[in-house]
């Protein structure tokens, strides 16, 4: 009486074993996973960039900061508290031959802008703008004015000039600001910038007018607004 049940049981066991083998093969087969991580590198022309984009994750970013800590510390020292501190009484103001007037912004009839061709560190340039012209390193808030500056500085052989942008804070807390305290509502970064740049001060390229991060201890010509 039991023999008729043996054949179905054997068939059921064979089918179950076949499914188990197939599942094992599927688990061992490697799967191709598309990399969905976003590309955060700058596109080169960014308007209204309010914060420094994170190009790497936090742990990698910390390693990058640590690897260049000597330059960063020197850069901090070059920028230092000079921007808020007292002015050097022995400061020599630029001669008229070392300066070039820049056509003002259409939105400000009383604003004046001056290119100083004598190179200086970022903090020294800010001192000159304050002491000699009662102003600040220039802030840039639209493409039209950025292009005016570019056309004026195009003959400078250093390749870059200081404008008033700086980076404050560390890692994910980095933020850009202007030395005159105005809003950071426009940016015109070069390809790969600002995430791939080095330095805590902002320079404008004489060719193309794009911006780059630069070490504040570099000596460059600069533009004052007053």
């Amino acid at each position: 009486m039991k023999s008729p049940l043996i054949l179905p049981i054997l068939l059921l066991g064979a089918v179950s074993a076949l499914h188990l083998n197939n599942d094992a093969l599927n688990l061992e087969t490697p799967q191709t996973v598309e990399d969905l991580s976003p590309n955060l590198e700058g596109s080169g022309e960014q308007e209204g960039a309010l914060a420094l984009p994170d190009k790497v994750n936090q742990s990698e970013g910390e390693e990058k900061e640590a690897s260049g800590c000597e330059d960063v510390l020197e850069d901090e020292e070059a920028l230092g508290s000079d921007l808020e501190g007292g002015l050097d009484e022995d400061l020599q103001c630029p001669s008229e031959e070392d300066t070039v007037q820049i056509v003002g912004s259409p939105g400000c009839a009383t604003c004046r802008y001056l290119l100083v061709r004598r190179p200086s560190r970022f903090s020294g340039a800010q001192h000159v703008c304050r002491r000699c012209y009662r102003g600040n390193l220039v802030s840039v808030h639209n493409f039209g004015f950025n292009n005016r500056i570019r056309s004026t500085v195009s003959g400078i052989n250093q390749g870059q000039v200081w404008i008033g942008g700086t980076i404050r804070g560390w890692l994910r807390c980095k933020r850009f600001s202007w030395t005159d305290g105005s809003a950071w509502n426009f940016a015109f970064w070069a390809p790969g910038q600002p995430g791939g740049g080095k330095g805590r001060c902002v320079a404008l390229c004489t060719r193309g007018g794009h911006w780059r991060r630069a070490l504040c201890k570099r000596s460059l010509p600069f533009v004052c607004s007053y």
Side-chain angles (χ1 to χ4, degrees):
M1 295 296 290
K2 296 181 180 180
S3 58
L5 297 176
I6 295 175
L7 183 59
I9 292 173
L10 291 176
L11 291 175
L12 180 60
V15 171
S16 299
L18 180 61
H19 281 295
L20 289 174
N21 288 336
N22 287 338
D23 290 341
L25 289 174
N26 288 335
L27 290 173
E28 293 172 358
T29 304
Q31 300 294 318
T32 301
V33 180
E34 183 178 1
D35 183 7
L36 300 179
S37 59
N39 180 7
L40 297 179
E41 188 167 283
S43 62
E45 298 185 12
Q46 305 172 27
E47 297 188 12
L50 302 181
L52 180 64
D54 293 313
K55 189 180 179 183
V56 293
N57 63 38
Q58 187 169 3
S59 62
E60 291 174 344
E62 289 170 353
E63 292 175 1
K64 185 176 180 181
E65 291 285 350
S67 65
C69 61
E70 183 176 347
D71 283 334
V72 171
L73 290 174
E74 289 180 2
D75 207 34
E76 284 283 352
E77 184 178 353
L79 183 60
S81 60
D82 291 341
L83 300 182
E84 291 80 25
L87 300 178
D88 184 2
E89 294 295 333
D90 298 327
L91 179 67
Q92 297 294 319
C93 292
S95 64
E96 186 175 349
E97 291 76 16
D98 284 333
T99 62
V100 177
Q101 290 285 342
I102 299 176
V103 178
S105 172
C108 183
T110 60
C111 297
R112 302 175 66 185
Y113 306 96
L114 192 71
L115 166 65
V116 179
R117 292 183 290 191
R118 186 179 70 190
S120 177
R121 291 188 175 194
F122 187 91
S123 59
Q126 174 67 5
H127 272 184
V128 168
C129 293
R130 284 189 176 179
R131 173 70 183 277
C132 301
Y133 308 108
R134 297 186 178 181
N136 293 280
L137 284 168
V138 68
S139 58
V140 184
H141 301 283
N142 58 71
F143 177 77
F145 183 54
N146 192 83
N147 197 47
R148 287 174 185 261
I149 297 176
R150 179 207 57 78
S151 62
T152 302
V153 305
S154 59
I156 297 295
N157 58 14
Q158 279 90 347
Q160 294 179 338
V161 297
W162 288 129
I163 55 178
T166 64
I167 298 174
R168 300 290 187 176
W170 295 87
L171 298 176
R172 295 184 183 275
C173 295
K174 287 179 179 176
R175 293 293 182 270
F176 290 97
S177 63
W178 295 110
T179 56
D180 64 5
S182 59
W184 188 276
N185 53 12
F186 170 82
F188 194 56
W189 296 110
Q193 297 284 321
K198 189 176 183 181
R200 302 181 72 83
C201 295
V202 180
L204 182 146
C205 299
T206 58
R207 288 188 177 183
H210 288 95
W211 303 358
R212 290 184 176 276
R213 291 171 58 185
L215 293 174
C216 303
K217 62 184 180 180
R218 287 189 60 189
S219 289
L220 295 174
F222 52 96
V223 178
C224 295
S225 64
Y226 57 101

